[in-house]
Amino acid sequence: MLFNSFNFVALVLITLALYYTPALRRWQVPILIASSFTFYAANLPVLLLLLIFSIAINIGTSYVVMHGNPAKRKAYATFGVVLNLAVLAFFKYAFLFGGMFFSAESTVGQFLLSIPLPVGISFFTFQGISLVVDTYKSKDVEEYKSLVPKSMLQHSFNTSFFISFFPQLVAGPIVKAHDFIPQIKPKFFKEINWEVAFRIIVLGFFLKMVVADNMKDHTFWISFPEFQARSTMTLLIMLFGYSMQIFADFAGYSLIAIGLARLFGYVLFDNFNFPYISRTFSEFWRRWHISLSTFLKEYLYIAMGGNRKGDLRTYLNLMITMFLGGLWHGAAWSYAIWGSFHGIALAVERFSSKYIKVPRNAFWDTLRILMVFTFITLAWLLFKLPEFSHVVEFFNSLFNNTERKTGFKIIVFVLLYSIPVVLYHVYYLYWNKKGEGENKLAWIEPYLYGGMLFFIITNAGSAQEFIYFQF
Amino acid sequence: MIKKALFTTLILLIAHFTLVEMFAPTYQTGQHLWQDNVIKAQNYLYETPEPQGVVIGSSLSARLDEELLPAGFHNLALGGLGVHDGLKVIRAHGKLPNIVCAELNLVTRPPSKDFDNTVFSPVMNPVRRLIPSFREKHQPIGIIGNGIMNLKGGKQDKKADAPLGPTDAERGKSDAAFQAILDKAVKNNQEAWDQALLDEWIAKLKADVSWLQEQGVEVVFFEMPISELSCDLPKLGSVRTAMEEAFSGSGVRFLPRPDCGQYRTTDGAHLNPASANAFSRWLTSHLQQDAAQ
């Protein structure tokens, strides 16, 4: 069920109406669970069983970690994490790894091919892992003890809600148990911050429906073999456009999820913080898909030792974290390569920062932003062309198609649809420099949001699933 | 803040509606192939009260020039889509044409769900029917972007009377990149269509054609010429044979096979502008000939 579908709007309105009915207040959590299950089952109902199974694993393991035999806490927690990863590995990576040993035509290969890829499995599995690990950490962190109440019924409702909450169920943001579960309590209609929710939702739908959904029809020609007929200039502009598109698609979705959660009284943290103004790769990963990068940092990088075991080990930890982070995005080696590129960039940056001090001024900052943006944009090619041989072909076309006719129409529209993303980042730079109190452009905001709403109504592209649905 | 924003939206919508009513651009406003299809479908559905004749098919027949087709004819051929999508649009119109000319080259192309959802949306379809400014061709960015293109002067010359130029084979000898494209097209046409697939889609087509005939619509099938190098290969032959067998005795007309050697393509399949115009005239003359008989 897409966020920009009439079915979804109907689901949200009905859920809101029931949710805030005073007589039903004590049923708020079950109402959201029911809506979330309805949302998830809309695509392929049988996969709801998988979601329920995943929830059950996490209810059971987190409960025994908290309230079971203290001597076996670590074993229970390890079991819970391994079970979560096993489910993810089976549904998502079985064919990738099985394909190394079995051909697609064999019986085993055919079976592996037939395994469906449940929407959102990467997201809700990680949330389950977060619950199990946070529960284990409660031995050292006092406030985590309240994550798992003694009542199994209460715990089941909380966990089902936490994992299945529909705004972020299928494409994030990845929410950590210690950030979400403490928020579970009765919510009141009068507590809704309508202005904040309005801003976030309108911006989200604008980025998704106007920028991303339109841009995709112009960057379509980056696919193989279409790109072979395009000129160098057209390919470069389309690649730039794809960078804008992937940001608008994913940030748009995240904003819609965050805004919707606000309507129900829940605060989800920002998932994107103007990533394309990053001067370094480490800054990029503090601004892009923040929920994933903080999850990987907290539950993987730091668990492996982080930067506490010497330089070489730090670089290795970075590489492994980014390799696995890349592979999380999809069951194809191109994603692992993408992650590795970022891992190498982070490691090299960390190493070189010890010896090279870049001055902080407008010139150097701009140069660094452009360099980081260029690298990131080139790396996005691995998302658009999962077959690595096609990536090589793309670069071949990029270097050799200088004599081909330039597609001015594509260029005009890619640049037009890129303007909002560029202005969005520029506005942030201006606002950040001036500080909130000195933001002399604040008066323009209602008209900006009104304009965005106008374009959502009159200039939406054809609906397409969010790019990150495939993860 | 919310009230100001909503008021701004309302003002912009009214302004857009007014501007569209008073100054609707005369140039093409489609941003890309997909949107061109939707615009074509919406123009047919909302702005064609009395369709006389319709051409349906894929991007092959989308190149036919509507102005060179018989009077009252509309080219509803859709790039990337096919006859089954075109038939849906015809049926949704409410007033059927007198004659439907269907391209037979790609009858196995299934209809598109995305096209369906966009053009036949149960909520937006009636809104667009009532309020023209909500139609795809009036999207503000489409108008602005194509306006910029018009300033640049990029509109293609129809070259209606331009010489056809060398044949594809001759051109391929002096243009290695074009030869590679031709080789690929030839390779794609080497194998006949899978018979089961042909049977499946022709059966669906038959059902639609029977329905049209019951409503008094004449149905004519024609074959779009492609590169002379691919024309006589098994793929196109298998479609034609299967179609003629399936529709034998059904009252459907098949126009004669065109001589592919008379036409030139841009990519082994799609006619160049001069050839597309020539074939448009050929189609018209055959339709008018048959009508006179």
Side-chain angles (χ1 to χ4, degrees):
Chain A
M1 201 189 278
L2 299 180
F3 275 8
N4 50 341
S5 67
F6 292 109
N7 290 347
F8 181 75
V9 172
L11 178 73
V12 170
L13 291 174
I14 293 169
T15 307
L16 275 172
L18 292 171
Y19 187 77
Y20 286 114
T21 300
L24 299 176
R25 186 164 295 122
R26 57 193 288 264
W27 296 101
Q28 282 183 335
V29 167
I31 286 169
L32 281 177
I33 293 172
S35 289
S36 302
F37 282 7
T38 305
F39 173 77
Y40 195 71
N43 226 21
L44 198 57
V46 69
L47 290 177
L48 183 58
L49 294 173
L50 172 68
L51 177 63
I52 292 170
F53 177 66
S54 174
I55 291 170
I57 291 171
N58 293 297
I59 289 171
T61 50
S62 58
Y63 193 84
V64 294
V65 167
M66 184 67 83
H67 302 296
N69 183 348
K72 293 187 179 171
R73 282 178 76 106
K74 191 167 185 178
Y76 293 143
T78 307
F79 178 69
V81 171
V82 166
L83 203 50
N84 271 297
L85 290 175
V87 170
L88 180 64
F90 177 75
F91 281 94
K92 191 163 174 178
Y93 300 105
F95 186 72
L96 177 68
F97 293 112
M100 287 159 51
F101 306 104
F102 304 101
S103 83
E105 286 76 34
S106 67
T107 314
V108 176
Q110 287 290 308
F111 166 71
L112 293 175
L113 264 174
S114 69
I115 298 170
L117 175 59
V119 174
I121 189 170
S122 305
F123 293 91
F124 62 72
T125 299
F126 269 26
Q127 293 203 182
I129 290 173
S130 156
L131 175 63
V132 172
V133 173
D134 284 355
T135 310
Y136 174 72
K137 283 182 185 175
S138 65
K139 61 183 174 61
D140 301 316
V141 183
E142 189 63 33
E143 55 255 33
Y144 289 10
K145 286 188 163 71
S146 59
L147 293 178
V148 181
K150 194 76 176 151
S151 157
M152 179 51 121
L153 184 66
Q154 183 68 49
H155 176 54
S156 300
F157 274 122
N158 287 354
T159 304
S160 302
F161 174 38
F162 162 61
I163 289 178
S164 70
F165 187 32
F166 72 86
Q168 44 80 39
L169 171 60
V170 295
I174 300 169
V175 183
K176 296 185 198 121
H178 62 257
D179 288 329
F180 189 85
I181 292 178
Q183 295 186 59
I184 300 176
K185 59 182 185 220
K187 305 291 182 184
F188 298 86
F189 189 76
K190 62 181 185 231
E191 289 172 348
I192 299 176
N193 188 330
W194 289 102
E195 187 174 312
V196 167
F198 175 82
R199 283 167 181 265
I200 296 172
I201 290 172
V202 167
L203 181 58
F205 274 111
F206 176 79
L207 286 174
K208 168 59 186 160
M209 291 175 73
V210 179
V211 179
D213 281 352
N214 278 301
M215 191 71 91
K216 73 166 189 322
D217 291 314
H218 299 290
T219 61
F220 165 80
W221 306 103
I222 297 179
S223 335
F224 179 85
E226 325 294 346
F227 64 71
Q228 292 177 321
R230 302 287 160 173
S231 75
T232 297
M233 178 58 84
T234 311
L235 290 174
L236 279 172
I237 298 290
M238 284 199 296
L239 195 50
F240 171 78
Y242 186 67
S243 208
M244 302 292 109
Q245 177 194 332
I246 205 169
F247 166 76
D249 197 270
F250 197 17
Y253 183 97
S254 291
L255 285 167
I256 296 168
I258 291 166
L260 288 174
R262 288 265 186 169
L263 292 178
F264 293 101
Y266 289 90
V267 176
L268 306 182
F269 297 133
D270 283 344
N271 211 13
F272 292 85
N273 187 19
F274 305 90
Y276 288 152
I277 56 136
S278 302
R279 292 183 310 265
T280 63
F281 294 101
S282 50
E283 185 181 358
F284 176 76
W285 283 103
R286 287 195 299 276
R287 292 177 177 276
W288 179 274
H289 202 173
I290 298 167
S291 64
L292 175 68
S293 55
T294 54
F295 180 97
L296 290 174
K297 183 177 175 181
E298 190 173 333
Y299 297 106
L300 184 60
Y301 177 71
I302 290 174
M304 286 194 298
N307 60 3
R308 290 164 296 161
K309 306 213 172 185
D311 286 346
L312 277 179
R313 182 63 186 268
T314 301
Y315 304 143
L316 185 64
N317 289 343
L318 277 171
M319 291 286 314
I320 293 171
T321 303
M322 294 312 295
F323 172 83
L324 291 174
L327 206 53
W328 173 89
H329 282 79
W333 293 116
S334 58
Y335 297 112
I337 294 169
W338 171 82
S340 302
F341 277 168
H342 277 273
I344 292 169
L346 285 166
V348 167
E349 181 177 88
R350 197 180 177 93
F351 173 77
S352 60
S353 65
K354 290 183 185 186
Y355 308 103
I356 304 170
K357 298 290 174 213
V358 182
R360 285 295 315 268
N361 57 45
F363 171 75
W364 282 108
D365 280 357
T366 307
L367 193 63
R368 290 168 85 188
I369 289 172
L370 287 173
M371 276 176 54
V372 170
F373 178 75
T374 302
F375 177 93
I376 286 159
T377 297
L378 289 172
W380 284 137
L381 208 44
L382 289 157
F383 270 49
K384 187 68 179 167
L385 301 169
E387 280 240 18
F388 196 69
S389 60
H390 295 166
V391 175
V392 174
E393 272 290 332
F394 182 91
F395 280 104
N396 191 32
S397 298
L398 196 63
F399 289 120
N400 293 324
N401 288 9
T402 47
E403 301 297 313
R404 286 193 179 268
K405 198 171 157 210
T406 297
F408 281 111
K409 190 167 181 174
I410 292 178
I411 289 174
V412 163
F413 282 106
V414 165
L415 294 178
L416 279 173
Y417 284 114
S418 300
I419 290 171
V421 176
V422 172
L423 286 179
Y424 179 66
H425 284 78
V426 167
Y427 183 65
Y428 169 77
L429 283 172
Y430 167 82
W431 178 87
N432 204 36
K433 204 170 175 182
K434 293 284 180 192
E436 203 165 337
E438 285 188 49
N439 185 5
K440 293 199 169 95
L441 289 180
W443 64 271
I444 212 175
E445 285 183 6
Y447 308 109
L448 269 179
Y449 283 95
M452 283 193 272
L453 200 48
F454 164 74
F455 280 107
I456 290 168
I457 295 168
T458 60
N459 214 115
S462 58
Q464 181 190 254
E465 285 188 343
F466 298 92
I467 295 174
Y468 265 69
F469 266 20
Q470 63 190 304
F471 310 139
Chain B
M1 187 267 180
I2 296 179
K3 284 186 195 145
K4 263 192 203 166
L6 292 174
F7 185 67
T8 303
T9 305
L10 185 63
I11 296 295
L12 287 170
L13 284 170
I14 293 170
H16 181 238
F17 175 83
T18 309
L19 286 169
V20 158
E21 287 292 303
M22 291 169 63
F23 303 112
T26 52
Y27 52 82
Q28 297 271 10
T29 56
Q31 299 174 42
H32 44 73
L33 179 68
W34 166 259
Q35 196 171 58
D36 289 339
N37 288 339
V38 175
I39 290 172
K40 226 184 227 188
Q42 289 178 349
N43 282 346
Y44 184 80
L45 287 171
Y46 308 135
E47 298 177 17
T48 311
E50 304 275 341
Q52 298 300 309
V54 184
V55 170
I56 54 173
S58 66
S59 55
L60 299 177
S61 34
R63 296 209 171 184
L64 297 173
D65 189 342
E66 202 169 84
E67 287 170 22
L68 298 174
L69 293 174
F73 258 68
H74 298 271
N75 188 348
L76 199 50
L78 304 166
L81 303 176
V83 291
H84 301 281
D85 300 285
L87 284 165
K88 278 195 180 178
V89 177
I90 289 172
R91 288 181 80 141
H93 184 281
K95 176 132 192 3
L96 293 171
N98 298 328
I99 177 171
V100 170
C101 293
E103 170 204 308
L104 60 77
N105 298 53
L106 290 167
V107 293
T108 56
R109 184 170 277 173
S112 160
K113 264 196 197 149
D114 287 337
F115 180 76
D116 240 19
N117 292 339
T118 304
V119 173
F120 305 114
S121 159
V123 175
M124 289 312 292
N125 194 12
V127 171
R128 288 183 186 124
R129 195 178 286 278
L130 280 172
I131 307 174
S133 58
F134 283 121
R135 294 174 197 166
E136 205 78 3
K137 67 181 181 182
H138 293 138
Q139 286 198 349
I141 305 293
I143 293 173
I144 293 169
N146 281 290
I148 294 171
M149 292 295 300
N150 269 355
L151 288 175
K152 185 196 157 280
K155 202 151 164 73
Q156 215 173 18
D157 177 7
K158 281 192 179 175
K159 293 192 172 70
D161 299 309
L164 288 178
T167 62
D168 282 5
E170 285 162 358
R171 187 181 156 197
K173 285 185 186 136
S174 57
D175 183 340
F178 186 67
Q179 185 61 53
I181 291 169
L182 286 179
D183 290 342
K184 209 180 256 181
V186 165
K187 195 174 165 196
N188 285 343
N189 283 286
Q190 292 284 11
E191 279 188 29
W193 284 103
D194 173 66
Q195 193 58 48
L197 190 68
L198 270 176
D199 291 343
E200 180 193 342
W201 287 105
I202 290 176
K204 289 184 168 87
L205 190 55
K206 267 191 100 168
D208 281 321
V209 166
S210 299
W211 182 84
L212 284 171
Q213 287 176 315
E214 281 163 20
Q215 312 305 315
V217 177
E218 186 188 355
V219 178
V220 175
F221 284 108
F222 69 94
E223 184 181 311
M224 276 300 292
I226 57 176
S227 170
E228 77 272 13
L229 298 171
S230 301
C231 208
D232 294 317
L233 292 178
K235 191 154 235 167
L236 199 44
S238 64
V239 177
R240 185 149 193 129
T241 305
M243 286 284 288
E244 284 175 347
E245 265 175 34
F247 285 95
S248 146
S250 64
V252 153
R253 271 197 294 142
F254 281 84
L255 293 185
R257 283 200 78 194
D259 176 5
C260 295
Q262 299 296 314
Y263 303 97
R264 313 288 180 259
T265 72
T266 54
D267 58 2
H270 298 86
L271 297 181
N272 68 13
S275 292
N277 291 346
F279 187 72
S280 303
R281 292 195 186 95
W282 181 96
L283 193 60
T284 299
S285 75
H286 274 82
L287 288 170
Q288 285 171 343
Q289 233 172 57
D290 290 349
Q293 285 164 9

